[in-house]
Amino acid sequence: MTRRLTRRQLLIAGAAGGAGLASAAGLACWHGQPAGPASGSAASPSAPLPPLPAAVAGLPAAQHAWDPVLRRDEHHNTVAPRHHRLLLLGVAAAPTPARVRHLEAALRRLETRWPWRPGGLLHVLGWGPGYFRRYTGHDSPIPDPRPLAAEETPTLDDYDACLHLAGDDPRAVEMATRALTGHPATPALAGLSLTEVFAVHEVRTGFVGTGLPAAHQQVSGVPARRPVDPHAPLYMGYASGYRRNQATEADVTTAAGPFAGGTTMHVSRVRLRLDSWYDLLDADQRAARMFAPPIRDADVAGFTDTAPTHADTLDATATRYGVVGHLQAAAGARRHGRPRILRRDFNTDDGGTAGLHFVALQRSIADFDATRQAMNAAAAPYDNPAITAEVNNGIQEFMLVANRANYAVPPRARRSFPLLDAQAEALT
């Protein structure tokens, strides 16, 4: 029988882990400090436009087109880059043609310095609703973030932009982060700095891939006995990148409008309660919560390019087992049997606490909202009173959403201050 977990038990268990120190497998984990607008030629609307390097040949038109260069496993599932950064940015001063060109020049130098592949560096620049309202004179093409469950009380971020960096080499990701945030390791990287155009408000760090969660489990929220499997790609022990359980890049690409060829990006910061996940559930109970009640831990090893959802039997299995599976509930939002979001999430030990930075791409933010709300399995408590909004309901009782944000991701050619009148002048 699945043990019912109260919120009090979870909070007590979460606090018991203590305050661990962040680790980065031998690489010091750097957190950017807020930076104000810098002085220089880009600050004046009448200043000469800075040089614009030639665009790197052969790059895809879509910023989010990572899949063609990602590694594949034996079942043709994509393998995520192992190291990640999220740079949360605010526009430092009113955008001008010079600032537009400065941003585009820095991004082109980034693409010249590191090849567009996991062994080099992949990146996506998205723009928040507040940017469009404050600077463009246009309505935002995306909605403001909002809580997506009754029990959520997240901080709703209002950053102007978010730059997601990813790569397999932690030194490259770290070096690029430092250069972009005005701390270049060498003078040759100084041209990558974004501090002429952005204030860097926050840098979030993370990792995904075999061995990395186990190497980062001496943190708050993980039992002291270090239960994370050394082969697990994520803290909770399971892979999340089965290709048939993901939308494709084509599925999430915007088809029309000023952002045609782009996408939308949702970014959440989530605290994980792994004390309860590992200490109060056995392996079969964890598999049931992650996937669906009929699934046992031994079944997971047989999954190849998909995991069965059992979405069409949610009511019956909820009644029988008193448990809802996470994948089972989320699959209820699929359109014509196809997932609506492409996940590029990764774990974190920011602040010495086990967590998850949930990055999702979708054609419309409404697709993310629908998928997240399906996870609530709102009707399940009527099938069995053992299920509540959190208890015995997927993995929700093990996750505390701290932040939510939405971003519009333009195609590469329009990524630098999109919908700004100065953009065309600056980039021609």
Side-chain angles (χ1 to χ4, degrees):
M1 180 179 295
T2 300
R3 178 178 177 180
R4 290 191 58 175
L5 309 177
T6 68
R7 191 174 185 88
R8 176 176 174 80
Q9 286 174 315
L10 287 164
L11 290 171
I12 291 172
L21 296 176
S23 62
L27 178 72
C29 185
W30 177 84
H31 296 272
Q33 299 299 314
S39 61
S41 61
S44 171
S46 60
L49 296 180
L52 185 62
V56 175
L59 294 183
Q63 293 191 75
H64 62 286
W66 294 10
D67 283 2
V69 298
L70 293 182
R71 292 176 289 116
R72 304 273 171 162
D73 67 14
E74 65 272 28
H75 305 297
H76 305 290
N77 303 305
T78 57
V79 178
R82 289 173 62 83
H83 300 278
H84 297 254
R85 297 289 188 275
L86 295 172
L87 279 59
L88 288 309
L89 308 166
V91 173
T96 64
R99 288 195 172 94
V100 174
R101 182 171 281 204
H102 183 100
L103 173 56
E104 181 63 24
L107 294 173
R108 291 186 184 186
R109 291 187 183 104
L110 188 72
E111 291 158 347
T112 300
R113 175 62 179 80
W114 287 282
W116 185 260
R117 57 177 181 263
L121 200 66
L122 297 167
H123 50 88
V124 162
L125 178 62
W127 297 84
Y131 157 76
F132 295 99
R133 289 193 296 265
R134 287 187 282 268
Y135 298 104
T136 71
H138 295 275
D139 292 335
S140 173
I142 50 169
D144 290 312
R146 61 191 178 94
L148 294 172
E151 66 278 5
E152 279 190 8
T153 57
T155 296
L156 303 177
D157 293 340
D158 188 29
Y159 298 116
D160 289 319
C162 173
L163 179 62
H164 181 188
L165 306 174
D168 286 340
D169 183 351
R171 295 166 298 180
V173 176
E174 179 73 1
M175 187 182 298
T177 300
R178 294 185 65 85
L180 290 163
T181 55
H183 301 77
T186 67
L189 297 178
L192 299 180
S193 175
L194 300 180
T195 57
E196 286 279 1
V197 293
F198 287 125
V200 182
H201 292 295
E202 187 178 354
V203 176
R204 298 176 186 170
T205 76
F207 46 85
V208 58
T210 301
L212 290 174
H216 291 247
Q217 63 180 311
Q218 292 179 274
V219 292
S220 176
V222 181
R225 62 186 177 87
R226 303 183 188 179
V228 180
D229 188 283
H231 302 290
L234 289 165
Y235 271 137
M236 299 187 86
Y238 300 107
S240 69
Y242 300 112
R243 60 187 173 88
R244 290 170 57 194
N245 293 114
Q246 291 262 57
T248 66
E249 288 180 340
D251 291 333
V252 304
T253 299
T254 304
F259 288 87
T263 188
T264 71
M265 180 168 67
H266 179 87
V267 176
S268 300
R269 184 170 66 89
V270 180
R271 177 183 173 183
L272 297 178
R273 296 160 169 162
L274 300 176
D275 305 81
S276 303
W277 177 251
Y278 284 108
D279 284 347
L280 300 182
L281 300 178
D282 63 27
D284 285 340
Q285 290 171 328
R286 293 195 295 272
R289 301 294 187 87
M290 182 61 71
F291 299 103
I295 293 176
R296 295 293 176 261
D297 185 62
D299 300 328
V300 178
F303 297 166
T304 56
D305 62 351
T306 189
T309 68
H310 295 274
D312 57 344
T313 61
L314 189 151
D315 291 342
T317 56
T319 299
R320 177 180 176 184
Y321 295 95
V323 171
V324 171
H326 164 67
L327 177 62
Q328 180 183 40
R334 294 185 177 187
R335 183 183 289 124
H336 307 301
R338 295 175 64 88
R340 294 163 68 172
I341 69 171
L342 172 59
R343 299 186 313 279
R344 287 189 169 150
D345 49 301
F346 51 93
N347 281 146
T348 183
D349 59 0
D350 286 348
T353 300
L356 175 75
H357 293 311
F358 193 90
V359 179
L361 304 180
Q362 51 282 312
R363 186 168 296 180
S364 164
I365 291 296
D367 291 325
F368 175 82
D369 288 358
T371 302
R372 176 59 186 85
Q373 289 177 324
M375 283 173 51
N376 294 332
Y382 297 97
D383 297 319
N384 191 315
I387 302 168
T388 72
E390 289 188 317
V391 175
N392 296 324
N393 194 335
I395 58 176
Q396 298 202 82
E397 56 198 292
F398 310 101
M399 305 175 72
L400 179 66
V401 179
N403 297 72
R404 287 199 180 280
N406 295 330
Y407 300 95
V409 178
R412 193 179 306 273
R414 296 193 290 278
R415 64 188 169 182
S416 297
F417 291 103
L419 300 189
L420 195 71
D421 292 340
Q423 187 186 68
E425 175 187 349
L427 300 183
T428 54

